[in-house]
Amino acid sequence: MEILLMAVLGFGLDLILGDPHWLYHPVRLIGLGISGGEKLLRKIFPKTPKGELAAGAVLAVCIPLLSFAVPFLLLWLAGLVHPWLRIALGAIFCYQILATKSLRDESMRVSKELDKGDLQGARKYLSWIVGRDTERLEEPGIVKAAVETVAENASDGVIAPLFYMMIGGPALGFLYKGVNTLDSMVGYKNDKYLYFGRVSAKVDDVFNFIPAILSAWLMIAASAILPGFDAKNAARIYKRDHKNHASPNSARTESVCAGALRVQLAGDAYYFGKLVDKPTIGDDLRPIERADVRRANRLMYMTAVLALAVFGAVRLGVWLLVF
């Protein structure tokens, strides 16, 4: 019950507060650990494919373990003082792990710039939340990228962390954030990270596999509940296009969102100045429009609420069976 209470309180705090820019986020500490660890390991290991692979493997093990150990220790110490202090700290940790409101806020900032007619501003804010080049994107490309970001991060920014914290509390949630942050920083298939980031990318694929499937079906259910979304088409596009991505997980929620909105996502994009051929996701049944960013966020929010309800019910059911 303690873990369930922490998760529910943390979920509520995230919806209310989001990520205040004045508050230093723990994921930044994970990022600093990754950057420092990379510099150190690159000096220690030989600059060969095998050496870089080994160095990256060490980092892929150490960062998640540290991400787990620190909050686990802090929660244990808080519990020695008082059980309610442990619950309060755990709730704050759960809040920091989730990114529901911040994902909405950052994507809607892009949409608001478009509403003002400021393409340059929209490109700038979009560049903060996507990995692709944004300088040459026009309005349809900007909207599409924002929608894709909301759809993809609904899984690894909201549902997957919630899944792991419901299983093992905030410490396991932070372990997942360590895995996911590693992938976002070093899991690239470019000259610098082709070998060094390979293990991190594979570990992230494994950790996201089950949550991504659950996220997709929860999003299909959300599209059936919310008015104005096409749940039948969401399920159809998901079954057809969920593998249309280099990652085994990323296209799952993207395909559901594309089907629910009846738009086409993905396709070719520029990364680091180079055009990358990517398959499309969904059917071009109507032109994508600014309002689709808001619609994608509504879908993401309902998916998150369903995930909390389903995962919480399972957690409560297991607790009742055991105790």
Side-chain angles (χ1 to χ4, degrees):
M1 284 295 289
E2 188 182 71
I3 287 177
L4 179 57
L5 184 57
M6 290 176 182
V8 171
L9 290 172
F11 186 86
L13 286 172
D14 177 53
L15 292 187
I16 295 168
L17 302 176
D19 291 333
H21 291 288
W22 54 266
L23 187 65
Y24 200 82
H25 202 283
V27 173
R28 293 186 186 178
L29 294 177
I30 295 175
L32 289 174
I34 293 169
S35 298
E38 178 185 350
K39 291 177 183 177
L40 177 64
L41 290 167
R42 284 187 182 276
K43 289 178 181 178
I44 296 173
F45 285 81
K47 293 177 175 57
T48 63
K50 287 184 178 180
E52 290 191 2
L53 192 64
V58 171
L59 192 68
V61 171
C62 291
I63 292 297
L65 287 179
L66 283 171
S67 299
F68 174 88
V70 173
F72 183 87
L73 177 61
L74 291 174
L75 287 168
W76 177 73
L77 291 172
L80 293 179
V81 177
H82 198 281
W84 280 107
L85 180 60
R86 173 183 166 86
I87 290 172
L89 182 61
I92 292 171
F93 282 162
C94 289
Y95 150 58
Q96 292 174 322
I97 293 166
L98 297 169
T100 316
K101 188 174 187 295
S102 64
L103 180 57
R104 176 194 175 279
D105 290 347
E106 295 301 323
S107 59
M108 287 307 300
R109 182 182 290 181
V110 175
S111 181
K112 288 173 183 176
E113 291 299 308
L114 290 175
D115 288 340
K116 293 190 296 185
D118 187 355
L119 271 182
Q120 199 59 36
R123 290 171 182 142
K124 181 184 78 171
Y125 289 128
L126 180 66
S127 70
W128 294 2
I129 58 174
V130 301
R132 75 191 64 183
D133 299 345
T134 62
E135 296 85 358
R136 65 188 81 196
L137 291 178
E138 297 300 325
E139 182 170 320
I142 292 170
V143 173
K144 185 170 74 169
V147 169
E148 288 172 19
T149 299
V150 172
E152 182 179 346
N153 285 284
S155 178
D156 59 15
V158 182
I159 311 303
L162 190 58
F163 174 78
Y164 284 107
M165 74 172 67
M166 281 289 191
I167 294 173
L172 191 61
F174 267 116
L175 184 147
Y176 169 78
K177 292 304 289 184
V179 168
N180 193 239
T181 307
L182 269 166
D183 180 63
S184 68
M185 291 183 66
V186 305
Y188 297 101
K189 291 182 178 179
N190 55 25
D191 293 340
K192 184 177 181 180
Y193 292 116
L194 182 62
Y195 297 103
F196 188 89
R198 184 172 296 178
V199 175
S200 291
K202 294 298 181 185
V203 171
D204 183 74
D205 288 343
V206 171
F207 268 80
N208 275 301
F209 183 69
I210 292 175
I213 294 172
L214 293 174
S215 299
W217 286 105
L218 286 166
M219 189 174 282
I220 291 170
S223 67
I225 295 170
L226 292 169
F229 293 87
D230 192 336
K232 185 177 179 181
N233 195 51
R236 181 181 70 84
I237 297 298
Y238 170 64
K239 292 175 182 177
R240 191 192 74 187
D241 292 352
H242 73 272
K243 293 184 179 179
N244 286 9
H245 200 283
S247 163
N249 304 312
S250 295
R252 293 187 183 274
T253 44
E254 277 190 49
S255 58
V256 174
C257 187
L261 294 175
R262 299 174 64 82
V263 298
Q264 190 172 81
L265 300 177
D268 299 349
Y270 281 90
Y271 292 85
F272 306 105
K274 186 181 297 184
L275 182 63
V276 177
D277 295 332
K278 298 171 66 178
T280 57
I281 296 173
D283 294 328
D284 190 12
L285 300 178
R286 66 170 181 83
I288 197 162
E289 58 188 16
R290 292 178 206 167
D292 287 320
V293 180
R294 190 178 301 277
R295 294 182 186 118
N297 278 298
R298 286 178 58 212
L299 191 59
M300 182 265 293
Y301 261 64
M302 179 56 74
T303 304
V305 170
L306 286 178
L308 180 70
V310 172
F311 298 164
V314 172
R315 177 84 200 184
L316 180 60
V318 171
W319 184 85
L320 290 173
L321 284 174
V322 174
F323 298 100

